[in-house]
Amino acid sequence: MSMVYLTRKAEFSASHYYHNPKLSADENLRLFGKCNNPNGHGHNYTLEVTVKGEVNGKSGFVVDLRDVKNIMGREVLDALDHRFLNKEVPEFATAIPTTENLAIAIWQRLEPKMTAAQLHRVRVYETPDLFVDFYGEA
Amino acid sequence: MSMVYLTRKAEFSASHYYHNPKLSADENLRLFGKCNNPNGHGHNYTLEVTVKGEVNGKSGFVVDLRDVKNIMGREVLDALDHRFLNKEVPEFATAIPTTENLAIAIWQRLEPKMTAAQLHRVRVYETPDLFVDFYGEA
Amino acid sequence: MSMVYLTRKAEFSASHYYHNPKLSADENLRLFGKCNNPNGHGHNYTLEVTVKGEVNGKSGFVVDLRDVKNIMGREVLDALDHRFLNKEVPEFATAIPTTENLAIAIWQRLEPKMTAAQLHRVRVYETPDLFVDFYGEA
Amino acid sequence: MSMVYLTRKAEFSASHYYHNPKLSADENLRLFGKCNNPNGHGHNYTLEVTVKGEVNGKSGFVVDLRDVKNIMGREVLDALDHRFLNKEVPEFATAIPTTENLAIAIWQRLEPKMTAAQLHRVRVYETPDLFVDFYGEA
Amino acid sequence: MSMVYLTRKAEFSASHYYHNPKLSADENLRLFGKCNNPNGHGHNYTLEVTVKGEVNGKSGFVVDLRDVKNIMGREVLDALDHRFLNKEVPEFATAIPTTENLAIAIWQRLEPKMTAAQLHRVRVYETPDLFVDFYGEA
Amino acid sequence: MSMVYLTRKAEFSASHYYHNPKLSADENLRLFGKCNNPNGHGHNYTLEVTVKGEVNGKSGFVVDLRDVKNIMGREVLDALDHRFLNKEVPEFATAIPTTENLAIAIWQRLEPKMTAAQLHRVRVYETPDLFVDFYGEA
């Protein structure tokens, strides 16, 4: 028995802005700077999804990649790609669509659907120079 | 005398959508697909600006990089970074903010300001897999 | 009227080996070294296809990207991806599947199908450190 | 005493196909899709080898990089580069050469030879968008 | 409560050479090879700094990125960028400026200043093919 | 007959500083900023060498890659890698080792040795965000 970790990357494009309705306009601007512009601005996000499990002797796979691809497409990419996150994705009606909250939301979308192997990590790159990892830790 | 071409990269994040007001809703959807969503979606754009000129014997430079950086910042990045292109950038009040038109708009902003060396090419990556080059050719 | 160059990237995986049937085994080995192993070895190739044309005022596009994607998929990727080039691609029944000949074969497959805009360049990366450009020059 | 993790990358090109002789032709096709083509197809694999250990006060190194390079070359790259994995690498006479099994095979080749520092992780990229990590976990 | 890990990249250019004054010239050459050349040679280093903490409900951030950027700039980049490490950075008056020791020195510079979130990892790439991770482990 | 362009990449690490002995200390500092620090600072340079020629019918090659590799190694990498350019490379006893002059020097070293195919372009990246092209144009 050998435990391996398999990671698949995907990309999506979305726009967002940062605003907390419980704060004043001044506080929002101080906290979020130019990210507070309500018109929004966009990113090419890169998503890395890692699953963990034992290698199946029959296939040599930890998981069927077509399943991973389908789940990522249906649960995440269809919902987020070419969207304005604040306006079109339910989680961000209340939560601020930071990279941190995006990683958590993606985990919560994927975790119940990953049955063949266990979800281990969600990594989201907002730009090539900034990324967030979430392992499901409370 | 030696002619060299110097290229500097920069990145900016923006959102956009594609819509031609002279066409019907149906025609817009057929032409632009999911890029027609008026909420917009975003990208991390990568910009490459190439200038061409002779190497200066005193400095060994074709151009002072600090000047290139300042012009790119003032003329392009300040105007486009963290913006919704359709709503906040004058060129795209009428032109559709495709990668093609973005490359042309950036050329038009930079070309008159590049005096120490001649602007040779503007390259804009919308994603790592799609880019447009403009050389000022009519 | 503005002339732009648009480039789209794609990837495919294939295997090949180098062998010229008109040469002796010794000459083949001397010319091709470990690339002469008839079992073949593989690569993740990256393909860049560049088209050139004027920007359409109605769409802001030089060409409809979905058409470029379809032509590249049908004429090139379907034929080359997950193939042993020497055994499964007609051009390489006679020509040696070097990166040079691969770029030329891809040009010949694409050029007659590119009607909306003119094919300008085919670039093929065999590895990140080695690539060939073909512009259709005789 | 300070514990550090040092990672060295290398690349190799190989071809493979997926086939389980205990399954019928139909089952193989259903399980492996176009990867079941017996002619094989290829990849540029990227390998990352991570070792873990304390920094040596005399050299400032956790391990002599020339040793790591030699072991990786002799134990892994010489055996896998420019090979058809199913036909030319003993481990894959029986195991299916998936990225999972490749990471495990590379670990088993390296682990006994890494004496100056402890092998911590083997990562294998089949493509830039798919990779597997193995830490020697049963 | 959700624990996330946020990573920010930065780059700096520096030169160094490897020499242990307690060893003879011959021993230095044998140990360090061409890295022992006292004129020094240079690198574009890439630094990844990872912090760990809970997401703040008010901002959606684990930490204010402007603070991370300021601390990285003041404590690390100002001190190392465009420097000859052996001659201009105090830690390397005695320690050999290997990638290992550089990662440790950067950790020691950052750790006391990171108060909003906990420093988790420092990764230093000397080249794209070689990097070291330090987690503060003794 | 088909004309192709083949490009091979390589990397080298070197250090340099910018100083024109005909100028005062103040003028040097104003012109070159922190790059004027005489201790030097370093870079991982990436070099792309492009040759142009017709594809040989016997080999399918425009040029034997082993020859290109040998010439690049002997004429450029052996002379520049792990060197302090100002002190150890003859061209920079007088010329300032800017990226511009480095591209020209590399062209001059390679051009007379490239006999199987014609040197077309030398590209030098000082960092991933800055590069210079030289085509031998006066």
Side-chain angles (χ1 to χ4, degrees), chain A residues 1-11 48 50 52 54-66 120-121 123, chain D residues 18 20 23 27 29-33 96 98-101 103-104 108 123 125 128-138:
Chain A
M1 290 306 199
S2 294
M3 180 71 74
V4 302
Y5 299 74
L6 178 144
T7 300
R8 187 176 169 82
K9 290 193 198 183
E11 301 199 345
E48 286 186 11
T50 304
K52 168 187 181 178
E54 286 173 3
V55 179
N56 181 305
K58 187 169 131 189
S59 66
F61 294 150
V62 59
V63 64
D64 188 323
L65 267 177
R66 292 167 296 191
H120 174 68
R121 189 183 75 184
R123 174 173 286 185
Chain D
Y18 293 163
N20 182 339
L23 304 178
E27 287 170 313
L29 190 58
R30 205 158 43 236
L31 186 56
F32 297 123
I96 300 166
T98 58
T99 319
E100 290 90 331
N101 282 334
I104 294 168
Q108 288 168 343
R123 174 173 286 185
Y125 286 82
D129 293 339
L130 180 69
F131 61 87
V132 167
D133 292 313
F134 184 57
Y135 294 85
E137 292 176 278

Side-chain angles (χ1 to χ4, degrees), chain D residues 33-127:
Chain D
K34 65 180 169 179
C35 296
N36 186 231
N37 178 339
N39 288 315
H41 61 276
H43 297 290
N44 300 332
Y45 290 94
T46 298
L47 169 64
E48 287 186 11
V49 172
T50 304
V51 297
K52 168 187 182 178
E54 286 174 2
V55 178
N56 180 306
K58 187 168 132 189
S59 66
F61 295 149
V62 59
V63 64
D64 189 323
L65 268 176
R66 292 167 296 191
D67 292 343
V68 175
K69 190 175 177 183
N70 287 342
I71 295 170
M72 288 171 65
R74 196 177 57 232
E75 304 299 328
V76 178
L77 304 179
D78 287 355
L80 304 183
D81 190 35
H82 282 64
R83 300 291 178 185
F84 196 123
L85 299 178
N86 306 63
K87 299 180 187 176
E88 301 182 86
V89 179
E91 287 91 329
F92 303 117
T94 53
I96 300 166
T98 58
T99 319
E100 290 90 331
N101 282 334
L102 199 44
I104 294 168
I106 292 171
W107 175 281
Q108 288 168 343
R109 284 170 172 263
L110 290 176
E111 200 280 335
K113 306 293 178 182
M114 289 290 181
T115 52
Q118 187 184 342
L119 186 61
H120 175 68
R121 188 183 76 184
V122 167
R123 174 173 286 185
V124 178
Y125 286 82
E126 188 184 82
T127 72

Side-chain angles (χ1 to χ4, degrees), chain A:
Chain A
M1 290 306 199
S2 294
M3 180 71 74
V4 302
Y5 299 74
L6 178 144
T7 300
R8 187 176 169 82
K9 290 193 198 183
E11 301 199 345
F12 61 94
S13 299
S15 57
H16 69 170
Y17 76 111
Y18 293 164
H19 180 79
N20 183 340
K22 296 178 187 156
L23 303 179
S24 70
D26 270 11
E27 287 171 313
N28 269 293
L29 190 59
R30 207 159 40 235
L31 187 54
F32 296 124
K34 65 181 171 179
C35 296
N36 186 230
N37 179 338
N39 287 316
H41 62 276
H43 297 290
N44 300 333
Y45 289 95
T46 298
L47 170 63
E48 286 186 11
V49 172
T50 304
V51 297
K52 168 187 181 178
E54 286 173 3
V55 179
N56 181 305
K58 187 169 131 189
S59 66
F61 294 150
V62 59
V63 64
D64 188 323
L65 267 177
R66 292 167 296 191
D67 292 342
V68 176
K69 190 175 176 181
N70 288 342
I71 295 170
M72 288 171 65
R74 197 176 57 234
E75 304 298 328
V76 178
L77 303 180
D78 287 356
L80 304 183
D81 190 33
H82 282 64
R83 301 291 180 186
F84 195 123
L85 300 178
N86 305 63
K87 299 181 187 177
E88 301 182 89
V89 179
E91 287 91 329
F92 303 118
T94 51
I96 301 166
T98 57
T99 319
E100 288 91 331
N101 282 334
L102 199 45
I104 294 168
I106 292 171
W107 175 282
Q108 289 168 342
R109 285 170 171 264
L110 290 176
E111 200 280 334
K113 307 293 177 182
M114 289 291 181
T115 51
Q118 187 185 341
L119 186 61
H120 174 68
R121 189 183 75 184
V122 167
R123 174 173 286 185
V124 179
Y125 286 82
E126 187 183 84
T127 71
D129 293 339
L130 181 69
F131 61 88
V132 167
D133 292 313
F134 185 57
Y135 294 85
E137 292 175 279

Side-chain angles (χ1 to χ4, degrees), chain C residues 51-104:
Chain C
V51 297
K52 168 187 182 177
E54 285 173 4
V55 178
N56 181 304
K58 188 169 130 189
S59 66
F61 295 149
V62 59
V63 65
D64 189 323
L65 267 177
R66 291 166 298 193
D67 292 343
V68 176
K69 190 176 175 180
N70 287 342
I71 295 170
M72 287 171 66
R74 197 177 55 235
E75 304 299 328
V76 178
L77 303 180
D78 287 355
L80 305 183
D81 190 33
H82 283 65
R83 301 290 180 186
F84 195 122
L85 300 177
N86 304 63
K87 299 181 187 176
E88 302 184 86
V89 179
E91 287 92 328
F92 304 117
T94 52
I96 300 166
T98 58
T99 319
E100 289 90 332
N101 282 336
L102 199 45
I104 294 168

